[in-house]
Amino acid sequence: MRKLGADLVINHQQQDVGAELQKLGGVQLVIELVGSTLQQSITACAPNGRVVLIGNLGGKESTVDTQTWRLKRLTVIGGGQLRAAPRDEQNILQLIADKAFTPLIARVLPIEQAAQAHALLASGQVQGKIVLLHT
């Protein structure tokens, strides 16, 4: 991740992400994609921070400490599906065409191995995207 330009790298399998970010003063915004890690997102926030829920990759249920949420004066927003404005979509497509960034591709598999791709994703060990090729 550092090679890709990250300033800070935290391995969620070896470290408590929320606690590590709190040591640095917390963050103002968390985009919560997993759902089951909502408490870590709350812990990671600085006072008056925000958590936007846009996914449930880890399941739809999570237990949170509402006292921490309240005392930090956090705003937790159920964002649902986020959509880009047409102008923003055009800008994103132009960045892709200009090769302004390089996607991190972990594996390329034939479509016939879709079940294996899902198993890899479920393992949590994949760093990057899995591309399925249809021939």
Side-chain angles (χ1 to χ4, degrees):
M1 295 309 299
R2 287 196 194 282
K3 290 178 185 176
L4 294 172
D7 295 321
L8 174 67
V9 177
I10 300 171
N11 184 335
H12 71 93
Q13 294 176 331
Q14 298 174 355
Q15 299 167 282
D16 181 324
V17 175
E20 292 298 317
L21 290 171
Q22 201 48 236
K23 288 179 192 175
L24 299 170
V27 297
Q28 292 300 314
L29 174 65
V30 176
I31 305 297
E32 174 61 55
L33 300 168
V34 180
S36 62
T37 58
L38 179 56
Q39 182 59 50
Q40 287 183 8
S41 295
I42 289 170
T43 301
C45 279
N48 300 306
R50 291 178 293 160
V51 178
V52 179
L53 303 166
I54 63 170
N56 278 356
L57 296 173
K60 65 180 183 175
E61 294 186 19
S62 181
T63 301
V64 297
D65 175 358
T66 57
Q67 181 78 338
T68 301
W69 182 344
R70 187 180 61 78
L71 292 175
K72 286 186 174 186
R73 299 172 307 280
L74 301 181
T75 301
V76 178
I77 304 164
Q81 184 178 359
L82 299 180
R83 297 201 47 93
R87 184 186 75 233
D88 293 331
E89 287 179 359
Q90 186 60 40
N91 289 339
I92 292 167
L93 290 172
Q94 189 60 53
L95 287 170
I96 293 168
D98 293 343
K99 299 185 188 236
F101 57 89
T102 304
L104 181 58
I105 298 174
R107 299 278 296 270
V108 177
L109 299 169
I111 192 78
E112 293 80 15
Q113 293 181 14
Q116 180 185 353
H118 281 279
L120 287 167
L121 289 172
S123 76
Q125 301 299 313
V126 176
Q127 293 183 351
K129 300 297 181 186
I130 296 177
V131 177
L132 295 175
L133 294 179
H134 189 277
T135 55

